[in-house]
Amino acid sequence: MSWGTELWDQFDNLEKHTQWGIEVLEKYIKFVKERTEIEINYAKQLRNLSKKYQTKKNSKEEEESKYTSCKAFQATLNEMNDYAGQHEVISENMASQITAELTRFVQEVKQERKQHFHEGRKAQQHIETCWKQLEASKRRFERDCKEAERAQQYFEKMDADINVTKADVEKARQQAQIRHQMADDSKGDYSSVLQKFNREQHEHYFTHIPGIFQKLQDMEEKKIGRMGESLKTYADIDRQVVPIIGKCLDGITKSAESISEKQDSQMVIESFKSGFEPPGDIDFEDFTQSMKRTVSDTSLTKADCKSDPKVPSKSRNKLWPFIKKNKLSLKLGSTPEDFSNLPPEQRRKKLQQKVDELNKDIQKEIDQRDALTKMRDVYMKNPQMGDPASVGQKLVEIGNNIEKLRVEVHKFEGWLAEVEGRLPARNDSSRRQSGLYDTQNTQTVNNCAQDRESSPDGSYTEDNSQEPEVKVTPTEFDDDFDDEEPLPTIGTCKAIYPFDGENEGTISVTEGEILSVIEEDKGDGWTRIRRKEEEEGYVPTSYIEVYLDRNTKGAMTYI
């Protein structure tokens, strides 16, 4: 089945069909090109989406990423990033293996098609020229035959006319002969041209055109086969990334299975545990005791001891855990270096983390120093390799860095030891704060001159002194004790940093300001101060230099 034999007379239709085939291939190329653009845009959007929800460094999200659910989500984002990479691979392979290759192939097909149809048109023009020559030769032969016939008739007419001279008859006879000779010549020429045309026509329809059409058929079949191969490549490109995409999805499934609810719950405890013990029971306060007093001086003295409004009430101290003025939740402009703004347990973890980081930095510096020392020794043994003095200055700098880091480690280890010394033993019931409160409450009932200490942040701390000191902070619901005497001054302090004191229960200070200390730091990072016997409140201990009266019981200096 050949176009040359079956479609010998369909030159125009074949020209249209082959042009349509090229347009179909170009349409497919355009489709693949748009697919590559979709894939690359999809990959870009996936990468941007993954980047948008990635945990930002040095942010609160980075601290929260320790939970297994957050880790699983981050792993999913990473897998989606790899997933996007596979779509980029699809786009790149389709662009290189399909779009670029087919574009070059289409240009070749167009050029080949143009050449074949140029040869076909040339063959058609040649056969048309031969046809025109045949028609011209035929008309000339026909005309000459008619002229010869008319000349013969004229001669016969002249020969039959007796009135015509012999010379005229001879002239007519010669003219008729000439016309007959011309007709014979035209006949021979026409016969020759006809034979030539038949040969040309046979070659045209059985050799030239079939050959050209066969080339066009081969070209078209090659184009169709190439498109089929391209479609197969199109599918293979997608199929090649399926295993990797499957691994990405398996990674997401694995990360989902790694989520541990119990582990996350335990991390919440580790993250927010303050280290304080819960408060003990609040004792019943019997206000009917004042009604039983007698008129005697002894009874009045005892009554005064129990009803003196200047002596703080035990219940007021026990209300601290329920007061909203929790200084530990105050948001400062900057975190103190010793993390004194954190609860003991959290502060201990931060300090331990800082110590570990500093030890790692020291180890890095030591490793670098050892490497440079070996290099210097090599230079000393082989001077041609380098100058030993070139690393000397670097070794001095590293030594200074190590010394500075060790000083920092010593400082943070001191704070860490201080915090660990203040944290209550978790399994020692004798150190439970509730037990301390029960003991203090019993002492307060027996002797109204003694009262337990309370921490203004809702935590109860132990006093290092043998006897608890009475220190009570006025609250917004202490209306019955507005006439209470102010706490005594136990020392002075100097503000080394400015503090805004925007939160309730705090007081603002300016750098260099001298104030009175009325309650020392209980381990929560806050000191209570007073300004001019009028305004009082809490400030971070790390913002001030405290000078306590050494005669004051349990006085310490915090710098």
Side-chain angles (χ1 to χ4, degrees), residues 105 208 316 402 417:
F105 177 72
H208 296 313
R316 293 176 59 207
I402 293 175

Side-chain angles (χ1 to χ4, degrees), residues 385-397:
M385 297 182 66
D387 184 10
S390 61
V391 296
Q393 183 63 30
K394 186 63 177 178
L395 286 172
V396 173
E397 293 178 1

Side-chain angles (χ1 to χ4, degrees), residues 308-314 316-317 444 448 451 470-472 481 484:
D308 187 0
K310 296 180 181 179
V311 179
S313 172
K314 298 186 291 299
R316 293 176 59 207
N317 290 334
T444 306
C448 62
D451 198 357
V470 178
K471 297 175 184 178
V472 181
F481 303 96
E484 180 183 7

Side-chain angles (χ1 to χ4, degrees), residues 10-280:
Q10 300 298 319
F11 185 90
D12 294 338
N13 287 332
L14 288 179
E15 185 176 17
K16 293 178 181 179
H17 176 76
T18 52
Q19 179 61 33
W20 171 81
I22 292 176
E23 290 175 356
V24 170
L25 189 57
E26 288 178 336
K27 186 184 295 184
Y28 171 68
I29 294 173
K30 186 177 180 182
F31 160 76
V32 176
K33 186 177 180 181
E34 291 184 5
R35 166 75 189 277
T36 59
E37 293 175 356
I38 290 174
E39 291 291 343
I40 198 68
N41 290 333
Y42 179 56
K44 183 178 180 181
Q45 291 176 1
L46 279 181
R47 288 192 183 277
N48 291 337
L49 182 65
S50 177
K51 183 179 179 181
K52 177 181 179 181
Y53 288 95
Q54 285 284 355
T55 300
K56 298 178 178 60
K57 294 184 179 180
N58 302 324
S59 65
K60 184 179 179 181
E61 294 180 358
E62 188 174 14
E63 297 179 0
E64 296 173 349
S65 61
K66 60 185 178 182
Y67 297 103
T68 58
S69 57
C70 295
K71 288 181 179 179
F73 179 53
Q74 292 301 316
T76 299
L77 294 178
N78 293 333
E79 294 294 348
M80 290 308 298
N81 199 43
D82 296 339
Y83 185 90
Q86 297 309 307
H87 285 277
E88 290 177 346
V89 171
I90 291 175
S91 177
E92 293 173 359
N93 290 341
M94 285 188 175
S96 60
Q97 299 180 24
I98 298 179
T99 305
E101 292 293 333
L102 284 186
T103 299
R104 288 193 295 269
F105 177 72
V106 166
Q107 296 300 324
E108 295 174 359
V109 169
K110 286 183 176 180
Q111 187 66 28
E112 183 180 357
R113 174 181 176 275
K114 181 180 179 181
Q115 181 179 356
H116 293 330
F117 279 103
H118 176 72
E119 293 176 358
R121 290 189 183 90
K122 186 176 180 181
Q124 282 188 333
Q125 290 176 358
H126 177 71
I127 198 66
E128 288 176 359
T129 301
C130 293
W131 172 256
K132 290 178 181 179
Q133 291 177 354
L134 177 61
E135 287 293 319
S137 177
K138 179 181 177 181
R139 287 193 298 270
R140 186 170 57 254
F141 172 58
E142 182 181 8
R143 185 181 64 248
D144 290 345
C145 287
K146 290 179 179 181
E147 290 292 336
E149 184 177 0
R150 283 197 297 271
Q152 183 64 30
Q153 291 176 356
Y154 181 74
F155 166 70
E156 291 177 355
K157 181 180 179 182
M158 292 292 290
D159 187 43
D161 190 356
I162 58 175
N163 297 322
V164 178
T165 62
K166 186 177 181 179
D168 293 335
V169 172
E170 184 63 23
K171 184 177 179 181
R173 186 180 63 79
Q174 292 178 357
Q175 188 67 30
Q177 290 178 349
I178 293 173
R179 292 297 179 183
H180 279 288
Q181 184 63 38
M182 291 177 63
D184 291 338
D185 294 341
S186 296
K187 180 180 179 181
D189 183 63
Y190 170 66
S191 177
S192 175
V193 171
L194 179 60
Q195 291 177 1
K196 179 181 178 182
F197 174 78
N198 288 333
R199 289 194 303 271
E200 294 289 342
Q201 181 176 252
H202 185 273
E203 291 181 359
H204 177 78
Y205 289 110
F206 291 94
T207 304
H208 296 313
I209 291 298
I212 294 173
F213 282 7
Q214 185 62 43
K215 292 178 181 178
L216 288 173
Q217 182 179 355
D218 294 342
M219 179 197 73
E220 185 70 11
E221 291 176 354
K222 180 181 178 181
K223 178 181 66 64
I224 295 172
R226 189 64 176 271
M227 186 171 180
E229 294 175 359
S230 179
L231 288 170
K232 183 179 178 182
T233 303
Y234 179 87
D236 290 340
I237 289 173
D238 267 325
R239 189 177 293 109
Q240 288 171 0
V241 301
V242 168
I244 303 178
I245 291 178
K247 290 182 180 179
C248 294
L249 299 178
D250 292 341
I252 295 175
T253 303
K254 185 177 180 180
S255 62
E257 294 173 350
S258 68
I259 295 177
S260 174
E261 300 86 348
K262 298 297 182 183
Q263 185 177 347
D264 283 359
S265 298
Q266 183 61 31
M267 287 183 179
V268 173
I269 296 175
E270 295 176 358
S271 298
F272 300 108
K273 183 177 180 180
S274 65
F276 297 125
E277 294 290 343

